Amino acid sequence: MNRPPLTRRQAERRFVLLSVVRWLPVGLTIGMTVLLPLERGLSLAEIGVLLSVQGFVVLGLELPTGGLADAIGRRPLLLAASALAVASTIVFLTAESFAVFALALVLQGVFRALDSGPLEAWFVDVALADDPDAPLDVPLGRAAAALGIAIAAGAAAGGGLVAWHPIEGMSALVLPFILAATLYAVSGVLVAALVREPARGRVTLAFAVRETPLAVRGGLRLLRRSGALRALVTVEVFWSVAMIAFESLTPIRLAEQLGTESAAAAVFGPASAVAWGLFAVGSSSVSLLRRRLGTAGAAIAMRVVNGVFVVLMGLAAGPVGLLIGYGLAYLTHGAAGPVHNALLHRQSGSETRAMVLSMNSMIAGGAYSLGLLVLMPLAQVTSPVVAMVAAGAFSIVGALGYLPALKQERGGEAVATS
């Protein structure tokens, strides 16, 4: 029996729910992916290698998985991602050696590559099929707000579980990972039940192997033809550098101000939960921003203001000022994401949507990795203050990448969709 197609509102509710369940496990284990290997005897250098392994796996698979999602559909990749999320969490939880932890991070890298974009691409496909003129930034903002709330709630719950430590004879860090694996399994069940796509016929391995390179080439051809799209993905280079400042340099600066790493950790945990709550508030403000400034105008404003807050974080004399800047950086970070992605979707059609998201994600991940290699040594040789100010000032330049989209928006120009 054929079911009626989903409406935009129905798809949005499902998108928000699936986003919450997907990101709640991330909040539960935030920070613990470093602490568990440390507890089991790995050095910081080994942990750095492990995290880079995951990053390089994601970087290498972004384009193939994006092309695969456009070729065979979003739902199969989301189901595979959920299965790998469960497997990688279990392997990580049971690992006792560098090699097994590395296997877990490889699996996690594949999971993150498969998961990068298909859910959002599915929602946008359904929304535009129901209403081709539907605004995308507002529902994307609601989903991003739900993501922020999920991570904040997960971080608070994970910390509570560690403090509670109800299972004697077992590390306090284990229970959050067990719950995270369970939630990833629940996510897979919900994807199977809620994500509906038009029938594509029977997908064989030969079909996937044949069609995926074609989809990748289609996405790259679109990138070549669209100057606006190239400018948008270039923004990620600058944005990622700002993220290094407020994600990685903040605890270092906080430890410098408070005197010890343990004192910084005690403050940074609750501050992170608050910051993700502010991220959700920023994501929820998209409708107001778009009415006042337009989508491209809002993107420019948030890129500039976010960079300014990062600069002010570096210049703050005490921990209170630093953490206020940290919260405001996350507030504007949350507001920037939905408008940026809405502009990306204007440059793509259904047949290239997942690829465009994957290309954007690939640029972001590559820039983040390279930025770490510059900013961390800079912080060591000079100070975290210099590195933060440099990162914030550099990220402001990324606002220029929105100018072609602003010109299109004001001139009503058509965009490339193939």
Side-chain angles (χ1 to χ4, degrees):
M1 175 174 147
N2 290 330
R3 289 176 290 184
L6 294 173
T7 66
R8 177 167 56 93
R9 297 294 184 192
Q10 289 173 323
E12 182 182 335
R13 287 193 292 271
R14 296 182 181 204
F15 179 39
V16 169
L17 173 61
L18 291 169
S19 297
V20 168
V21 180
R22 158 66 180 87
W23 288 97
L24 189 56
V26 174
L28 278 169
T29 58
I30 199 165
M32 298 182 199
T33 51
V34 173
L35 295 176
L36 188 65
L38 272 177
E39 185 179 73
R40 293 184 177 172
L42 270 66
S43 68
L44 284 174
E46 288 175 318
I47 292 171
V49 172
L50 287 175
L51 295 178
S52 69
V53 165
Q54 175 187 279
F56 285 124
V57 170
V58 174
L59 189 63
L61 292 180
E62 277 287 5
L63 292 187
T65 54
L68 188 62
D70 285 328
I72 70 173
R74 323 314 189 189
R75 189 172 183 269
L77 267 71
L78 290 170
L79 291 172
S82 296
L84 279 170
V86 174
S88 66
T89 305
I90 292 172
V91 173
F92 191 89
L93 180 59
T94 57
E96 298 284 349
S97 67
F98 176 86
V100 180
F101 275 116
L103 173 61
L105 270 295
V106 168
L107 291 173
Q108 192 170 101
V110 179
F111 145 58
R112 292 188 183 279
L114 288 170
D115 183 69
S116 175
L119 181 60
E120 183 174 318
W122 167 79
F123 163 70
V124 174
D125 286 345
V126 175
L128 295 182
D130 182 54
D131 179 4
D133 298 320
L136 296 175
D137 42 13
V138 174
L140 292 178
R142 292 192 186 108
L147 178 156
I149 292 170
I151 294 179
L161 288 173
V162 171
W164 180 30
H165 192 194
I167 307 174
E168 292 186 13
M170 182 183 293
S171 167
L173 302 178
V174 166
L175 190 54
F177 284 97
I178 294 174
L179 185 54
T182 303
L183 286 170
Y184 281 133
V186 170
S187 177
V189 172
L190 290 176
V191 165
L194 300 179
V195 175
R196 284 162 37 195
E197 292 187 289
R200 293 176 181 252
R202 184 168 175 267
V203 176
T204 64
L205 179 61
F207 175 84
V209 170
R210 183 178 69 251
E211 293 298 317
T212 298
L214 296 178
V216 171
R217 283 200 293 271
L220 293 175
R221 185 165 57 247
L222 176 60
L223 185 66
R224 226 173 21 248
R225 291 177 177 175
S226 173
L229 179 58
R230 289 197 302 275
L232 286 172
V233 298
T234 301
V235 172
E236 289 289 1
V237 173
F238 301 89
W239 195 339
S240 294
V241 170
M243 287 174 63
I244 294 170
F246 56 78
E247 287 184 349
S248 300
L249 291 175
T250 300
I252 297 172
R253 174 67 172 143
L254 194 59
E256 187 179 71
Q257 291 175 332
L258 296 179
T260 66
E261 285 76 11
S262 57
V267 173
F268 190 67
S272 294
V274 172
W276 279 105
L278 290 170
F279 176 95
V281 172
S283 300
S284 300
S285 69
V286 167
S287 178
L288 175 63
L289 289 170
R290 179 170 56 83
R291 284 199 301 269
R292 295 285 182 86
L293 302 172
T295 303
I300 291 171
M302 289 305 98
R303 181 74 272 121
V304 171
V305 175
N306 182 262
V308 169
F309 285 142
V310 172
V311 170
L312 293 177
M313 285 172 62
L315 297 177
V320 173
L322 173 67
L323 292 177
I324 289 173
Y326 177 65
L328 292 173
Y330 263 91
L331 177 74
T332 49
H333 181 47
V339 289
H340 178 82
N341 280 20
L343 293 171
L344 284 176
H345 290 303
R346 288 183 183 179
Q347 306 299 325
S348 66
S350 177
E351 68 283 358
T352 57
R353 197 173 311 286
M355 260 298 297
V356 166
L357 291 172
S358 288
M359 288 188 294
N360 187 76
S361 181
M362 184 183 73
I363 295 297
Y368 193 94
S369 298
L370 293 174
L372 281 169
L373 297 177
V374 174
L375 285 179
M376 288 303 189
L378 178 64
Q380 182 173 332
V381 171
T382 58
S383 72
V385 171
V386 172
M388 276 187 165
V389 171
F394 179 75
S395 74
I396 292 171
V397 181
L400 297 174
Y402 290 119
L403 293 180
L406 180 66
K407 181 180 178 182
Q408 282 186 345
E409 189 171 82
R410 290 180 173 175
E413 297 177 23
V415 298
T417 58
S418 62

